[in-house]
Amino acid sequence: MIFLVAIFVPPISLVIRDAKYDAIASLVMICLCILLAPAVLPYIWIAAIVHSFQVIRRQDDDRRTQEIIAAIKGRPAVSDHASAPAPEATVGGQIAMQAGA
């Protein structure tokens, strides 16, 4: 879905993915093209789309890398805190498991 947004409005897709500086760069590039050379707007628009795709792909790869590093170290990934199982709690020297674990 984010790639569809990136095709039609590249800067907005970058804001959605929390890449604000990349969104500003894309917006400046499109605005300069509109002001200075409207004849090359389609080419700059394609460049903005490619830039958006690369930023989105880079963020996905970074997230995947962090998940792999977390799995190697044996801890839950940063994005998986909500779905991670509850930790064991010690009660009176014994390990008490949380309900559902």
Side-chain angles (χ1 to χ4, degrees):
M1 184 68 177
I2 192 72
F3 289 106
L4 188 62
V5 175
I7 290 172
F8 293 109
V9 214
I12 298 298
S13 68
L14 295 173
V15 169
I16 290 172
R17 290 299 294 252
D18 199 32
K20 292 175 183 68
Y21 296 115
D22 290 316
I24 291 170
S26 182
L27 188 62
V28 166
M29 181 172 54
I30 290 171
C31 288
L32 285 175
C33 179
I34 289 172
L35 294 174
L36 300 177
V40 294
L41 179 62
Y43 302 110
I44 297 297
W45 195 264
I46 291 171
I49 291 171
V50 169
H51 175 250
S52 297
F53 279 17
Q54 289 177 341
V55 169
I56 292 168
R57 190 72 168 171
R58 183 189 69 215
Q59 286 180 339
D60 289 344
D61 290 345
D62 289 346
R63 181 187 46 82
R64 194 173 307 116
T65 302
Q66 291 302 319
E67 289 174 359
I68 291 171
I69 291 171
I72 290 171
K73 290 184 177 181
R75 59 188 160 111
V78 175
S79 62
D80 293 341
H81 283 300
S83 63
E88 298 175 352
T90 57
V91 178
Q94 297 179 350
I95 296 177
M97 295 294 290
Q98 303 252 342

